[in-house]
């Protein structure tokens, strides 16, 4: 039987990853990535190619440049395009074939993920225009966290807000947390995929998660991706009354406050320099006080979140670092672990600093629970879920490219 091809489009708040995946394969046939979108530094690169400038390109313009390149590497017809969509609200609890109802639902949930759902929609519309005869599937970040118990996902608010308006904690980065937890089980000899894990997905967006036997028990993000950890430009947790305080003292309206919390805070706001951890680490080494403070706050808040999430588990088999920062920043891992000795988690400094870039590995000291660095593969997870959706559709839905 011919193994089917899936084109995966993974749109983040400032980036897009494209991957052409063949069913059952652990490696993509072709990859491309656009970074730092909506800035003068926007650029893209393809597997085996040099980085090329995109100017001030947004998500749609980047996709228009990247998608035609995929066709050169598709030796078989593409069976489906799988899209990462951040927020599915209460409406979407699993992957869905995209139609007008799904598009309207993604749009309706945009206020809950203002940096992401509009970008996801741009990707879907651009792909539909360029590949009009191929089915499109939406895979929602929120779906994995539907296993959280009510005591983890409910806010202490009047019941009507949940029952009628869906105000609850949803959680995000579900495809990443699900993937790395399964890989952690394999790396530690749990062939059944089980285990009790703390997972830290760290990039421009960041979240932590407590995972038991492949199910999310609690996570740091909530109603929107703003709750929880310090992120690239997002504040994470702040006093809920900050909105009222800024309105009273500075006269700010809600759009201005949302702009502050989503786009001007986090590592960027603390450092006054950048939301890019690579730049901040270099600036810290050069003595930049704002960069040092931003990194210290980032790591402390992460450690505090992980320690708190441990109460959702019967034990802790290990801690997983993933995402661009989690996979590549030995400094972030070391500073975070400095705060977690109370949990018996101890780092081996040589393993931590010597782990090759892009490789999975164990970096704990003897006697410590497992501490793992696992490159995430959200695209593989999205591809598998997209094919599962297609397998549930009538045969005529699989229209070749």
């Amino acid at each position: 039987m011919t193994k089917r091809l899936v084109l995966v489009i993974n749109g983040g708040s400032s980036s897009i990853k494209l991957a052409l995946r063949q069913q059952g394969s652990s490696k993509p046939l072709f990859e491309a990535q656009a970074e730092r979108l909506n800035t003068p530094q926007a650029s893209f690169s393809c597997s085996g190619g040099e980085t090329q400038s995109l100017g001030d390109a947004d998500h749609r313009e980047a996709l228009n440049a990247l998608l035609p390149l995929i066709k050169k590497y598709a030796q078989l017809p593409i069976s489906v395009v799988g899209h990462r969509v951040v927020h599915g609200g209460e409406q979407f609890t699993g992957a869905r074939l995209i139609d007008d109802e799904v598009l309207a639902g993604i749009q309706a949930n945009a206020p809950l993920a203002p940096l992401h759902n509009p970008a996801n929609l741009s990707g879907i519309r651009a792909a539909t225009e360029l590949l009009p005869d191929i089915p499109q599937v939406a895979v929602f970040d929120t779906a994995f966290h539907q296993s959280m118990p009510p005591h983890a996902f409910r806010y202490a608010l009047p019941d009507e807000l949940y029952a009628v308006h869906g105000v609850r904690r949803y959680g995000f980065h579900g495809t990443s947390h699900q993937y790395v937890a399964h890989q952690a089980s394999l790396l530690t000899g749990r062939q059944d995929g089980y285990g009790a894990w703390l997972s830290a997905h760290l990039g421009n967006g960041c979240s932590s998660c407590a995972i038991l036997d492949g199910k999310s028990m609690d996570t740091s993000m909530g109603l929107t991706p703003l709750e929880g950890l310090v992120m690239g430009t997002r504040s994470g947790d702040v006093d809920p009354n900050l909105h009222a305080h800024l309105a009273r003292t500075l006269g700010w309206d809600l759009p201005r406050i949302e702009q502050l919390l989503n786009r001007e805070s986090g590592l960027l706001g603390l450092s006054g320099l950048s939301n890019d951890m690579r730049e901040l680490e270099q600036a810290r080494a050069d003595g930049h006080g704002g960069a040092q403070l931003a990194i210290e706050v980032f790591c402390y808040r992460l450690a505090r979140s992980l320690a708190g999430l441990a109460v959702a588990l019967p034990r802790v088999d290990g801690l997983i670092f993933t995402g661009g920062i989690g996979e590549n920043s030995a400094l972030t891992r070391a500073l975070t672990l400095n705060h977690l000795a109370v949990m018996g988690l101890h780092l081996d400094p040589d393993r931590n600093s010597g782990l090759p870039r892009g490789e999975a590995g164990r970096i704990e000291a003897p006697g410590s629970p497992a501490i793992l660095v696992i490159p995430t593969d959200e695209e593989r997870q999205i591809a598998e879920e997209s094919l599962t959706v297609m397998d549930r559709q009538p045969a005529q839905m699989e229209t070749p490219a």
Side-chain angles (χ1 to χ4, degrees):
M1 179 179 176
T2 302
K3 293 185 177 181
R4 295 168 292 178
L5 292 184
V6 183
L7 174 60
V8 176
I9 298 179
N10 182 349
S13 59
S14 62
S15 65
I16 299 175
K17 296 180 182 179
L18 278 74
L20 187 65
R21 310 293 298 237
Q22 188 159 30
Q23 185 176 9
S25 175
S26 61
K27 299 292 184 181
L29 299 175
F30 174 78
E31 291 182 298
Q33 179 168 343
E35 296 184 290
R36 303 184 184 185
L37 298 178
N38 298 298
T39 75
Q41 292 77 39
S43 63
F44 77 90
S45 59
C46 302
S47 48
E50 296 182 356
T51 298
Q52 300 182 51
S53 175
L54 282 171
D56 289 297
D58 59 15
H59 290 75
R60 175 179 288 276
E61 292 165 335
L63 282 168
N64 284 337
L66 291 170
L67 284 175
L69 303 176
I70 293 289
K71 294 183 177 181
K72 299 179 181 179
Y73 294 84
Q75 301 301 314
L76 297 170
I78 296 172
S79 294
V80 60
V81 180
H83 295 267
R84 176 203 181 203
V85 179
V86 167
H87 212 305
E90 287 271 347
Q91 183 177 358
F92 302 113
T93 59
R96 288 278 301 273
L97 187 71
I98 295 173
D99 55 18
D100 289 343
E101 177 189 354
V102 172
L103 288 173
I106 296 170
Q107 181 63 57
N109 286 312
L112 299 176
L115 296 186
H116 291 88
N117 273 33
N120 301 150
L121 280 171
S122 293
I124 291 169
R125 288 168 177 150
T128 301
E129 291 171 5
L130 289 168
L131 304 169
D133 297 324
I134 302 177
Q136 316 267 329
V137 169
V139 179
F140 298 91
D141 271 7
T142 48
F144 176 62
H145 301 294
Q146 292 298 310
S147 55
M148 290 193 298
H151 65 255
F153 73 69
R154 288 293 298 272
Y155 289 113
L157 296 170
D159 184 68
E160 180 182 1
L161 287 174
Y162 168 65
V164 178
H165 302 287
V167 177
R168 53 160 284 182
R169 304 183 66 249
Y170 290 97
F172 302 91
H173 296 135
T175 52
S176 178
H177 289 301
Q178 183 177 8
Y179 177 81
V180 299
H182 181 73
Q183 295 301 310
S185 298
L186 299 180
L187 282 172
T188 55
R190 295 171 173 83
Q191 296 300 322
D192 54 9
Y194 280 22
W197 307 105
L198 295 172
S199 173
H201 176 103
L202 310 176
N204 194 52
C206 303
S207 70
S208 50
C209 188
I211 305 164
L212 180 64
D213 299 339
K215 296 182 178 180
S216 173
M217 305 308 295
D218 199 359
T219 189
S220 58
M221 285 180 168
L223 176 71
T224 76
L226 183 59
E227 184 178 345
L229 305 178
V230 173
M231 307 178 217
T233 64
R234 279 172 270 171
S235 65
D237 290 340
V238 295
D239 187 323
N241 211 38
L242 176 63
H243 292 70
H245 174 74
L246 294 175
R248 284 194 302 264
T249 59
L250 300 180
W252 287 9
D253 59 11
L254 280 176
R256 178 66 189 93
I257 297 170
E258 288 180 338
Q259 172 75 11
L260 168 78
L261 297 178
N262 280 290
R263 300 181 184 274
E264 300 173 6
S265 299
L267 292 173
L268 175 63
L270 281 165
S271 69
L273 181 65
S274 175
N275 65 317
D276 191 313
M277 184 62 79
R278 294 166 293 189
E279 295 182 20
L280 294 180
E281 289 191 10
Q282 181 59 56
R284 174 183 180 271
D286 294 337
H288 191 287
Q292 180 173 340
L293 175 64
I295 294 171
E296 288 177 352
V297 173
F298 180 93
C299 294
Y300 174 75
R301 292 277 293 273
L302 170 59
R304 191 177 71 174
S305 175
L306 292 167
L309 286 172
V311 304
L313 301 172
R315 64 187 185 282
V316 175
D317 292 326
L319 167 61
I320 307 162
F321 287 97
T322 193
I325 296 173
E327 296 166 23
N328 298 307
S329 175
L331 176 64
T332 295
R333 297 192 297 261
L335 293 178
T336 301
L337 267 298
N338 284 345
H339 298 296
L340 291 173
V342 67
M343 296 177 61
L345 290 160
H346 298 286
L347 195 67
D348 182 312
D350 293 333
R351 285 184 176 183
N352 182 44
S353 61
L355 185 68
R357 185 181 180 91
E359 291 189 12
R362 298 182 62 164
I363 58 173
E364 74 272 9
S368 169
I371 304 173
L372 304 108
V373 179
I374 301 178
T376 192
D377 197 342
E378 294 172 281
E379 290 78 23
R380 183 178 182 181
Q381 189 72 30
I382 292 167
E384 292 175 356
E385 292 192 38
S386 298
L387 287 172
T388 298
V389 169
M390 294 308 301
D391 289 338
R392 296 198 298 261
Q393 306 301 318
Q396 62 266 27
M397 286 301 302
E398 294 212 34
T399 304

